[in-house]
Amino acid sequence: MASAYQESGDAKGTFLGHPKGLFVLFFAEMWERFSYYGMRALLIFYLTKHWLFSDSESGIIYGAYTALVYITPVVGGYLADKYLGQRKAVLFGAVLLTLGHFFMAFEGDAGIGHVDNPVISIFWLALALIIVGSGFLKANISVIVGQLYPRTDVRRDGAYTIFYMGINLGAALGSLLCGYIGETYGWAYGFGLAGIGMLLGLIVFIWGKPLLLGRGEPSDPEKLKQPVAGIKLEWWMYIAGLAMVGICWLAIQFQDLVGYVLGIFGGGLVIYVLYTAVSKLSSEERDRIFAAMFLIVTSIIFWALFEQAGSSLNLFTDRHVDRAGVPASTFQSINAIYIILLAPIFATVWTTLGRKGMEPSAPFKFGLGVVQVGLGFLVLVWGAQAAGLENATPVIFIFLIYLLHTTGELCLSPVGLSAMNRLAPAHMASLIMGTWFFASATGNFAAGLIASATGAEGVGEEAGKQVVLDVYSTVGWVAVVVGIGVLVISPLIKKLMHLDTLQDDNVGDDLEGQSEFGEPAAAGIHPTTKS
């Protein structure tokens, strides 16, 4: 075992029983999530209060932004696996993120409006840099965690738990601190603090390179040095990243482009997966792909509602909730705090039920997740109506909707990641995981459309509040009905999974960092939520 520990990255010593490189990644990722969620907590307010976009326009922009954040890791992960290696990709992503967060601090003259303010171009550039930076960093830093340990090392689950807590700690602190400072002292200060957080993450990652012991390096370093058209191949990778920034700069301004990309490529991806399943797989493998596609489609509904948190729900909290003077953006930290508190409980419950043969199936858990996200909105609607449209909604209902959404998330997101890994044949694993993340992007874009529907410009406060509650009531009931439908047919979907004949033909093909209750903990609890 000692030799395995040496191989796993213990040559530089350990801390709390783990390679020191783990804590380099922990702090780098914590600061990255601090900056990302700190900016995210302020974004919808910045759009509506500074750039003077309407609620509808802001919802669409926000949805397109978060959708793109889920698309770019597909490219960032591919370039890292094929050419750059994870460490160089993470470093490049961190540089882009640092620039993007600092550019967010250039706000121009408040109140002049987005039409006449030339600084808006810097704002679009900032968002594009953050989108592409996240694509390079988030797709790869979790992989390095797994590379610090042999696949059979018993410390792997604990390592990903530590890393996962860093993700959520950064998300909670970023929302609290950047949100409070940005709303209290000015946008530039809140975004600037997010930029400082990202810079700290970059410094930690550069400083800690020796502790990574060569993990995440390119598979063929010499190939990167070879010139292509007079330029080293490695620099072509960075040029490709900057080209992605340019594409995202355009897409975030013309949000319909994002919808077309999701529709065309997502639809083509689904058709290709189904065609492959029908024409090239055995009957059991084909059934498992059908089950995976069912879960993928169901997840779109969940994320479309869950991702109201940063947009319409953030605005509702600001305008219609009795917050006792607490800035609305700080409530974005509630989800991360709930996850830190509840994730260990859910892990224990699933493991205990599994040992007794009583654990619910993945489709059943998905149904529970969709029902809970719908119930969250219905509880908020009930609370707001009980208080009266003319009165502020008691803040307890904001805590309740986030509680139900978090428990729903814990039933669906980690379970879905695990299911994709279990159901896909080894030669289709990346394809199915890519389809899963494309579905997450689609859900985020749909979330923008729902948030846009809550906008009611030119009406009074009570009428505007009623519009929001009507939308929330509709999507809440739809989610509950869909969730119950998923619960009813979950035995059929479970049958398609053929769990009784699943075999570990090659343990080495498993996803990095899968925990004992089936969650690839490296991925956090959403992308997007924390991934």
Side-chain angles (χ1 to χ4, degrees):
M1 180 61 70
S3 61
Y5 279 6
Q6 186 78 3
E7 174 193 347
S8 69
D10 292 348
K12 291 285 187 179
T14 62
F15 180 71
L16 298 180
H18 288 273
K20 291 180 180 179
L22 172 65
F23 298 94
V24 171
L25 302 173
F26 171 95
F27 284 108
E29 178 65 354
M30 184 192 77
W31 283 117
E32 189 274 328
R33 290 291 88 182
F34 175 95
S35 65
Y36 179 83
Y37 280 93
M39 185 278 283
R40 178 179 177 270
L42 291 169
L43 181 57
I44 197 71
F45 299 133
Y46 191 53
L47 289 167
T48 55
K49 296 182 179 182
H50 179 77
W51 292 116
L52 305 183
F53 286 102
S54 67
D55 288 2
S56 297
E57 291 173 320
S58 299
I60 293 292
I61 294 170
Y62 182 90
Y65 165 71
T66 54
L68 287 168
V69 166
Y70 276 93
I71 295 174
T72 52
V74 177
V75 181
Y78 174 80
L79 292 179
D81 287 341
K82 189 78 172 176
Y83 303 107
L84 277 176
Q86 286 75 32
R87 186 189 63 79
K88 288 179 180 289
V90 168
L91 183 60
F92 179 57
V95 170
L96 294 181
L97 281 164
T98 302
L99 291 173
H101 283 294
F102 277 120
F103 282 158
M104 287 292 294
F106 290 88
E107 59 187 54
D109 296 328
I112 192 172
H114 59 275
V115 176
D116 303 318
N117 194 335
V119 184
I120 189 74
S121 294
I122 298 179
F123 170 65
W124 300 129
L125 177 61
L127 291 183
L129 286 165
I130 293 171
I131 289 165
V132 179
S134 296
F136 275 89
L137 189 146
K138 286 303 299 176
N140 296 295
I141 193 169
S142 299
V143 176
I144 304 178
V145 174
Q147 292 175 348
L148 290 173
Y149 300 85
R151 292 183 182 275
T152 57
D153 196 320
V154 296
R155 301 174 297 171
R156 289 170 61 88
D157 288 350
Y160 275 110
T161 300
I162 292 170
F163 182 74
Y164 165 68
M165 289 304 169
I167 291 173
N168 289 283
L169 180 62
L173 290 176
S175 300
L176 282 170
L177 296 178
C178 298
Y180 176 81
I181 290 175
E183 287 202 72
T184 304
Y185 298 103
W187 308 115
Y189 295 103
F191 291 132
L193 180 59
I196 292 172
M198 189 59 244
L199 180 60
L200 289 173
L202 175 60
I203 292 172
V204 167
F205 190 74
I206 294 174
W207 168 82
K209 177 187 173 183
L211 297 177
L212 300 180
L213 299 177
R215 302 305 195 267
E217 294 300 324
S219 57
D220 189 354
E222 293 304 316
K223 186 176 182 180
L224 283 179
K225 298 177 183 178
Q226 294 177 0
V228 177
I231 301 176
K232 289 183 180 179
L233 179 61
E234 178 176 351
W235 284 100
W236 277 115
M237 298 299 101
Y238 302 139
I239 292 171
L242 294 178
M244 288 173 59
V245 172
I247 294 171
C248 291
W249 181 80
L250 285 173
I252 199 66
Q253 296 178 67
F254 304 98
Q255 299 85 33
D256 287 346
L257 289 175
V258 180
Y260 288 131
V261 168
L262 290 170
I264 295 172
F265 287 94
L269 194 59
V270 170
I271 292 172
Y272 177 74
V273 169
L274 294 177
Y275 169 77
T276 302
V278 171
S279 64
K280 298 183 180 181
L281 300 181
S282 66
S283 59
E284 287 193 357
E285 289 179 325
R286 180 196 63 215
D287 287 348
R288 292 189 185 115
I289 293 299
F290 287 163
M293 296 307 293
F294 175 84
L295 297 179
I296 286 170
V297 172
T298 302
S299 74
I300 294 175
I301 300 171
F302 179 87
W303 296 125
L305 273 64
F306 181 89
E307 287 298 334
Q308 297 305 306
S311 54
S312 69
L313 188 54
N314 214 1
L315 290 174
F316 184 89
T317 304
D318 181 57
R319 297 168 180 172
H320 307 300
V321 173
D322 182 6
R323 297 175 281 107
V326 178
S329 57
T330 60
F331 287 85
Q332 292 292 292
S333 66
I334 297 174
N335 172 247
I337 293 171
Y338 276 150
I339 286 178
I340 292 172
L341 297 174
L342 296 176
I345 297 175
F346 272 72
T348 302
V349 169
W350 297 146
T351 302
T352 302
L353 290 176
R355 288 171 179 165
K356 297 180 179 180
M358 300 171 59
E359 183 180 6
S361 67
F364 194 88
K365 291 176 184 176
F366 264 57
L368 290 176
V370 176
V371 167
Q372 287 172 91
V373 78
L375 285 177
F377 284 109
L378 296 180
V379 166
L380 178 61
V381 170
W382 176 80
Q385 292 176 339
L389 292 178
E390 71 280 5
N391 299 316
T393 303
V395 72
I396 184 63
F397 292 101
I398 295 299
F399 283 91
L400 286 175
I401 186 175
Y402 280 122
L403 176 62
L404 285 164
H405 283 194
T406 303
T407 54
E409 180 187 8
L410 288 168
C411 286
L412 183 140
S413 183
V415 174
L417 287 166
S418 174
M420 297 307 107
N421 180 37
R422 298 176 72 191
L423 297 175
H427 63 280
M428 292 183 66
S430 296
L431 180 65
I432 295 301
M433 194 59 70
T435 308
W436 168 263
F437 284 113
F438 239 94
S440 298
T442 303
N444 276 265
F445 189 76
L449 299 178
I450 294 173
S452 177
T454 65
E457 279 69 41
V459 300
E461 181 176 346
E462 291 185 21
K465 184 177 181 180
Q466 184 62 61
V467 170
V468 178
L469 294 179
D470 287 343
V471 173
Y472 282 178
S473 179
T474 300
V475 299
W477 281 114
V478 168
V480 169
V481 171
V482 170
I484 292 174
V486 173
L487 291 174
V488 171
I489 66 173
S490 62
L492 173 60
I493 306 303
K494 180 182 178 182
K495 188 175 180 180
L496 290 175
M497 296 169 72
H498 296 287
L499 298 177
D500 54 331
T501 58
L502 274 177
Q503 295 180 355
D504 294 324
D505 294 328
N506 188 349
V507 177
D509 286 337
D510 288 345
L511 279 179
E512 296 288 341
Q514 186 171 352
S515 70
E516 63 181 70
F517 68 103
E519 174 192 353
I525 295 290
H526 178 263
T528 125
T529 312
K530 312 298 175 300
S531 65

